[in-house]
Amino acid sequence: MPAGDRERRQTPQILLLAIVTLLAVVSGVASLARQVAQLGPDVGDIVTFKPDQISRSDSNARLTADRPLQTSCVLDVSVMKRSGGSLVVEQRGAVTDQFYHAHWAGPRTTEDATNCGSEADLVLSRADMTALALAAVGPGADQTDGLRLR
């Protein structure tokens, strides 16, 4: 059999293999994108700041939180850890906006006029919720240290 005939028969096989490989890669990327979009706290998750808990990390983070129909306020992690309190995730926004509605309950969120008060309904980004959860439990902690996931 001439070499040209063999090459013509292999061309469709190579093309088919390339298409199958491309479809597998696209499917894998789409699956990964769906999983990443679902990361983060779920409705009902609780982030607890316990004043009697030995801190595993010293966070000086100050996050600005939006409040529906009110001015924004500040969440000072060091104050929240000292005074105690909790955030309950009440609503999770659409995948595209990735905002969370959470309820704060505790003595205070900061020592100045930007305090959210002893109770507040807050709108927080996924990054802010993650930062607060990590600050509450510290690195290397398990969820019983301050984060309860449903």
Side-chain angles (χ1 to χ4, degrees):
M1 177 183 304
D5 288 343
R6 193 176 318 133
E7 287 177 11
R8 272 185 248 134
R9 272 193 236 142
Q10 286 181 343
T11 301
Q13 292 172 345
I14 292 172
L15 184 59
L16 181 61
L17 181 62
I19 290 171
V20 168
T21 303
L22 180 64
L23 288 174
V25 168
V26 168
S27 174
V29 168
S31 175
L32 182 61
R34 274 192 305 277
Q35 289 176 357
V36 167
Q38 293 172 354
L39 290 177
D42 285 325
V43 172
D45 288 353
I46 302 171
V47 177
T48 305
F49 295 89
K50 299 177 183 178
D52 60 344
Q53 180 177 321
I54 296 171
S55 179
R56 296 180 187 195
S57 67
D58 255 346
S59 177
N60 294 324
R62 287 178 56 94
L63 307 170
T64 301
D66 290 328
R67 295 188 290 183
L69 305 174
Q70 296 182 33
T71 59
S72 60
C73 60
V74 172
L75 304 174
D76 184 327
V77 171
S78 62
V79 171
M80 294 164 68
K81 287 170 88 171
R82 260 194 330 273
S83 62
S86 62
L87 277 168
V88 178
V89 178
E90 295 180 334
Q91 182 181 357
R92 186 175 175 163
V95 172
T96 53
D97 67 18
Q98 299 184 9
F99 281 93
Y100 295 87
H101 294 261
H103 183 78
W104 162 257
R108 61 187 323 102
T109 61
T110 188
E111 298 288 350
D112 57 30
T114 60
N115 181 35
C116 298
S118 61
E119 287 194 36
D121 291 319
L122 307 171
V123 178
L124 299 160
S125 70
R126 181 169 73 177
D128 288 347
M129 280 299 300
T130 301
L132 289 166
L134 290 173
V137 298
D142 63 23
Q143 73 181 41
T144 60
D145 288 335
L147 180 62
R148 189 170 79 213
L149 304 175
R150 290 177 29 119

